[in-house]
Amino acid sequence: MDFSPFLVCSLLFSGFLCSWASQSSPFNAQALGEELLQSARESHFFDWMKSIRRRIHEYPELGFEEYKTSELIRSGLDSMEIEYKWPYAKTGIVATIGSGEQPWFALRADMDALALQELVDWEHKSKNDGKMHACGHDVHVTMLLGAARLLESRKHYLKGTVKLVFQPAEEGKGGAYHMLREGALENVKAIFNLHVDPNTPTGMIASRPGPFLAASGRFLATIQGTGGHAAAPHKAMDPVLAASFAIQALQQLVSRESDPLESAVVSIGLIKAGEALNVIPETVQFGGTFRSLTNEGFSYLSKRIEEIIEAQALVHRCSASVDFVERELRAYPATVNDEAMYEHVKKVGEALLGEDKVQLCPIYMGAEDFSFYLQQMPGADFYVGIGNESLGSTEGLHSPHFFVDENVLPVGAAMHAAVALTYLDASEF
């Protein structure tokens, strides 16, 4: 029977902890997680991470524009004497810690912000008008730099190589796709990602094996008719009516064409028609998003969306075109966690934080371009909690009121480091 490194790790995780005790290492069998967390929580270390996170938060940058963020990351890596290559996908960086030999294991952080005006009034509020880190990518970068510091001081214990992937443009532009296309992760055996979550309490992590997040795409439809006076609709070819029927028909994709045991979503978020109350316009535009937990279901929805819109337009004597806007906003595949890798991270989290601090979370129909990496290599995507009602850090992602409990920083840094250390140790067997 062929055992993967992840399965070996799951079976021999306790043996790994004992191996730390038997080596001339600073760790003992019970305290690997405690030691990493303690290091990351030391005041000088924690203050260093907070200062990095706040600098990034104050100067958010949108996808493929993360030049100052990239410069800050490179400065931090330089100060730790960690080698790296850049640019990938304009601003991306891949740093290397360890021997340079196989196996190569990757840790990933995304860097970009959102086009939102921050409405949280605090000392380190965004100074870039109309831009905000409302999805925690500033935290992700900081946690990975913290992990870099933990790993660099322990690099002589690494049984292989850790690749630190600082990726641009996760928010809709598919930065992960471009990193892969430019060869940033060639020969990497597996990958791990942490994403902050306000629904998970601070100090906890959560995920699930298998399908975790949805495949996601967008579409913009234009229906062309013939305009006219609203008092004489028989002389027009009404694109508003055609669009109305098309939108209703699209809802039946989920209610009548999708397996009720499989998750799918079609939502309309935009409609643009005329400007006068007594004029039938020549054109109507509408669009939205569609999602599925399987890539096959996603492809089916894409095909049927186009067919339905074109058919409904024809029924109403109009014409239609459908643009899936992939030049601007790339479609994302489903995020499917490798089950053995999930078990590996789960066991690491239980050792690091305690068994009661690792949750099985529900499937969510949001999307994440980490999914592109998971199509190429085994990996796992986990949430790390920032939820703290006393601090007000429970506002949802992509909200202008989004706020972070910075106590997540040492947790994330230690988690990244522990996952990489244990993976490389298990891969030797």
Side-chain angles (χ1 to χ4, degrees), residues 111 138 207 217 219 249:
M111 307 189 296
D138 52 338
S207 188
F219 68 94

Side-chain angles (χ1 to χ4, degrees), residues 235-274:
K235 295 182 179 180
M237 297 179 184
D238 191 348
V240 176
L241 189 63
S244 299
F245 273 84
I247 291 169
Q248 291 186 68
L250 289 174
Q251 302 311 303
Q252 296 174 25
L253 280 174
V254 174
S255 67
R256 286 297 176 267
E257 295 189 31
S258 296
D259 187 330
L261 300 180
E262 296 179 3
S263 297
V265 170
V266 178
S267 293
I268 305 302
L270 177 149
I271 301 176
K272 292 181 180 179

Side-chain angles (χ1 to χ4, degrees), residues 13 16-17 20 25-46 48-49 97 107 143-158 162 192 194 344-345 347-353 407-423 425:
F13 186 77
F16 160 75
L17 291 176
W20 281 102
S25 114
F27 308 116
N28 61 50
Q30 287 74 38
L32 169 62
E34 292 179 8
E35 195 277 340
L36 288 167
L37 266 178
Q38 182 179 353
S39 294
R41 283 173 171 162
E42 288 178 1
S43 59
H44 66 92
F45 198 118
F46 192 14
W48 170 74
M49 283 196 292
I97 301 176
L107 303 170
M143 293 189 302
L144 191 52
L145 282 172
R149 187 165 170 175
L150 292 172
L151 290 167
E152 177 63 17
S153 65
R154 296 158 178 82
K155 62 183 178 182
H156 46 291
Y157 297 113
L158 291 172
V162 180
F192 173 62
L194 278 175
H344 165 64
V345 177
K347 289 182 181 294
V348 172
E350 290 170 348
L352 187 79
L353 305 169
N407 287 302
V408 71
L409 297 174
V411 174
M415 190 70 198
H416 270 307
V419 168
L421 284 163
T422 52
Y423 173 87
D425 188 87

Side-chain angles (χ1 to χ4, degrees), residues 107-111 137 140-142 144 165-168 193 416:
L107 303 170
R108 176 264 200 169
D110 39 17
M111 307 189 296
H137 297 188
H140 301 167
V141 169
T142 304
L144 191 52
V165 180
F166 296 92
Q167 176 215 301
N193 182 64
H416 270 307

Side-chain angles (χ1 to χ4, degrees), residues 291-302:
R291 297 157 189 258
S292 172
L293 279 182
T294 68
N295 294 326
E296 294 78 14
F298 180 80
S299 296
Y300 179 80
L301 287 177
S302 175

Side-chain angles (χ1 to χ4, degrees), residues 43-314:
S43 59
H44 66 92
F45 198 118
F46 192 14
D47 289 344
W48 170 74
M49 283 196 292
K50 285 190 289 187
S51 70
I52 291 173
R53 184 257 161 167
R54 292 171 181 180
R55 286 168 62 192
I56 298 172
H57 189 87
E58 288 178 358
Y59 298 99
E61 298 169 298
L62 303 182
F64 296 126
E65 299 174 4
E66 309 94 332
Y67 296 105
K68 289 186 180 295
T69 305
S70 180
E71 183 179 359
L72 185 150
I73 294 167
R74 298 195 309 274
S75 176
L77 295 171
D78 286 337
S79 69
M80 291 182 274
E81 299 184 347
I82 295 174
E83 296 182 356
Y84 57 85
K85 292 183 178 181
W86 78 285
Y88 290 102
K90 294 188 178 180
T91 59
I93 303 161
V94 178
T96 300
I97 301 176
S99 65
E101 302 297 325
Q102 288 286 356
W104 291 3
F105 181 75
L107 303 170
R108 176 264 200 169
D110 39 17
M111 307 189 296
D112 56 322
L114 288 157
L116 284 175
Q117 183 66 42
E118 184 167 9
L119 298 181
V120 181
D121 189 15
W122 68 304
E123 183 181 357
H124 301 284
K125 184 177 181 178
S126 170
K127 292 178 170 58
N128 289 345
D129 220 27
K131 300 176 184 178
M132 177 192 176
H133 273 292
C135 199
H137 297 188
D138 52 338
V139 179
H140 301 167
V141 169
T142 304
M143 293 189 302
L144 191 52
L145 282 172
R149 187 165 170 175
L150 292 172
L151 290 167
E152 177 63 17
S153 65
R154 296 158 178 82
K155 62 183 178 182
H156 46 291
Y157 297 113
L158 291 172
K159 297 180 179 179
T161 305
V162 180
K163 296 287 185 176
L164 309 175
V165 180
F166 296 92
Q167 176 215 301
E170 188 280 327
E171 297 290 356
K173 295 184 178 179
Y177 169 86
H178 294 281
M179 294 285 284
L180 288 166
R181 190 176 67 173
E182 295 183 19
L185 279 80
E186 285 184 1
N187 300 316
V188 169
K189 301 300 182 186
I191 192 167
F192 173 62
N193 182 64
L194 278 175
H195 196 300
V196 297
D197 179 33
N199 296 313
T200 301
T202 304
M204 302 182 71
I205 62 171
S207 188
R208 64 183 303 111
F212 182 36
L213 300 171
S216 172
R218 299 167 178 84
F219 68 94
L220 181 63
T222 301
I223 296 185
Q224 180 72 45
T226 302
H229 199 288
H234 61 290
K235 295 182 179 180
M237 297 179 184
D238 191 348
V240 176
L241 189 63
S244 299
F245 273 84
I247 291 169
Q248 291 186 68
L250 289 174
Q251 302 311 303
Q252 296 174 25
L253 280 174
V254 174
S255 67
R256 286 297 176 267
E257 295 189 31
S258 296
D259 187 330
L261 300 180
E262 296 179 3
S263 297
V265 170
V266 178
S267 293
I268 305 302
L270 177 149
I271 301 176
K272 292 181 180 179
E275 297 181 359
L277 298 178
N278 63 341
V279 176
I280 294 171
E282 288 190 358
T283 63
V284 173
Q285 279 194 328
F286 68 92
T289 183
F290 59 104
R291 297 157 189 258
S292 172
L293 279 182
T294 68
N295 294 326
E296 294 78 14
F298 180 80
S299 296
Y300 179 80
L301 287 177
S302 175
K303 174 175 174 289
R304 290 292 290 138
I305 285 169
E306 188 168 24
E307 290 175 348
I308 285 170
I309 293 171
E310 290 177 349
Q312 288 295 335
L314 185 62

